[in-house]
Amino acid sequence: MTLSTTASSVQLAEQHFGDNLAVAFVGGSYARQAAKPTSDIDIFVLLKHCDRPSETAFALALRALHHDAGLDFDHCGEVFDIASLDILLTFTERAIEAVPAIQRSACYQADCPLSVFRKGDVVFKFLEDPKLHVLDRVDALPALEKRASAYFAQWPMARVQEHKKRLTLPERSEQASLAQTWAQREATPRWIDTPVGIGLERWFGAGLIERAGRLDTEAPVTTPPVKPHMCPIPSSEGTARRVFAAQCLAFSTSLETSS
């Protein structure tokens, strides 16, 4: 794949978001010069304000770009508005301070699709990693990159975790039900209505502010789960349950699982 194809993804962001676009760049394997022939394009988009219709149009156009170039495609990158991004990053910083053991739980080690913390960590990696085709209309990247560097300096993390892709969710649990819902949507037009789609303010926006308060009221959880590939929330009690629950999407009241 040529650099013109990765550049086209940023051009799509410019076309679909216009003056609402604050930042856009390509990260991931192409920026790290580690891409395979069919690797997907990892694009980061920061909007001044959320705009669901434009985000939907962009996601569909980005998928078509991948298809035409013969690339794999499973999500539309990271598309945030400025307010929601700050809330997510702040929540992620507070989560690991309150729950140091989260690095050794399924919320991180097993690539849990329900974890707010995991999402924040992915975004921090985007911000710290190399970048291609950078567009920064509001001069926001320097501060975001500095924030990401400070985060990983305090909380160093391996890029690939020991239990990756080995997540086990208890049968009939709220977590298992939600994960199944998203899995069923992956091959349908409703893939957009998941945390790897668009409208990320639904999961990572203002609702996290209230939930972050739970992280401040309990003692830190420093002991990791016995089985790092298993979700600890349904079987944990007391402090562990309350603190881990605060960062799990399955406990959000704003989930749009039936829309």
Side-chain angles (χ1 to χ4, degrees):
M1 190 198 70
T2 65
L3 283 177
S4 62
T5 307
T6 54
S8 294
S9 64
V10 173
Q11 293 168 1
L12 284 178
E14 292 185 88
Q15 294 168 10
H16 285 86
F17 299 120
D19 292 340
N20 192 29
L21 181 64
V23 176
F25 62 81
V26 171
S29 59
Y30 287 106
R32 297 196 307 271
Q33 298 185 347
K36 299 177 182 179
T38 59
S39 292
D40 65 333
I41 301 170
D42 294 307
I43 185 169
F44 180 92
V45 173
L46 185 61
L47 305 177
K48 297 173 185 176
H49 309 285
C50 60
D51 180 349
R52 192 83 57 84
S54 294
E55 291 177 47
T56 300
F58 168 74
L60 295 174
L62 187 65
R63 183 174 64 173
L65 175 70
H66 278 72
H67 181 268
D68 292 344
L71 303 178
D72 295 330
F73 182 81
D74 61 3
H75 72 299
C76 64
E78 307 297 338
V79 183
F80 283 94
D81 63 273
I82 291 174
S84 295
L85 175 66
D86 183 64
I87 291 169
L88 172 64
L89 297 183
T90 299
F91 184 93
T92 304
E93 292 161 338
R94 294 175 68 180
I96 195 167
E97 290 175 357
V99 193
I102 204 170
Q103 282 184 301
R104 301 186 302 283
S105 76
C107 303
Y108 186 76
Q109 285 281 333
D111 224 356
C112 180
L114 311 177
S115 172
V116 179
F117 170 78
R118 178 84 193 180
K119 183 69 169 183
D121 174 74
V122 166
V123 173
F124 269 130
K125 282 191 174 71
F126 254 90
L127 295 170
E128 187 186 46
D129 276 358
K131 302 168 183 64
L132 292 175
H133 316 303
V134 175
L135 175 67
D136 185 2
R137 293 176 172 173
V138 296
D139 196 28
L141 265 182
L144 290 171
E145 291 172 330
K146 183 177 180 180
R147 186 173 182 178
S149 295
Y151 174 80
F152 287 116
Q154 184 174 4
W155 307 104
M157 303 180 194
R159 181 171 294 278
V160 178
Q161 285 70 50
E162 181 181 356
H163 299 278
K164 187 176 177 66
K165 298 188 183 300
R166 289 181 52 210
L167 179 69
T168 300
L169 297 170
E171 292 184 12
R172 295 182 294 277
S173 67
E174 189 174 5
Q175 292 82 3
S177 176
L178 188 56
Q180 183 179 24
T181 296
W182 290 337
Q184 291 170 343
R185 292 180 180 178
E186 286 180 357
T188 76
R190 298 193 67 192
W191 68 270
I192 288 178
D193 189 26
T194 72
V196 299
I198 51 87
L200 298 186
E201 80 284 349
R202 292 171 291 172
W203 293 283
F204 309 114
L208 288 185
I209 295 176
E210 182 274 328
R211 293 167 68 194
R214 306 181 203 179
L215 299 171
D216 296 332
T217 59
E218 308 292 344
V221 178
T222 57
T223 303
V226 176
K227 298 180 179 180
H229 63 285
M230 297 187 68
C231 184
I233 298 170
S235 59
S236 299
E237 299 297 335
T239 296
R241 178 179 177 85
R242 288 191 293 273
V243 177
F244 274 112
Q247 69 83 47
C248 181
L249 286 175
F251 285 81
S252 172
T253 57
S254 62
L255 289 174
E256 298 182 12
T257 57
S258 60
S259 62

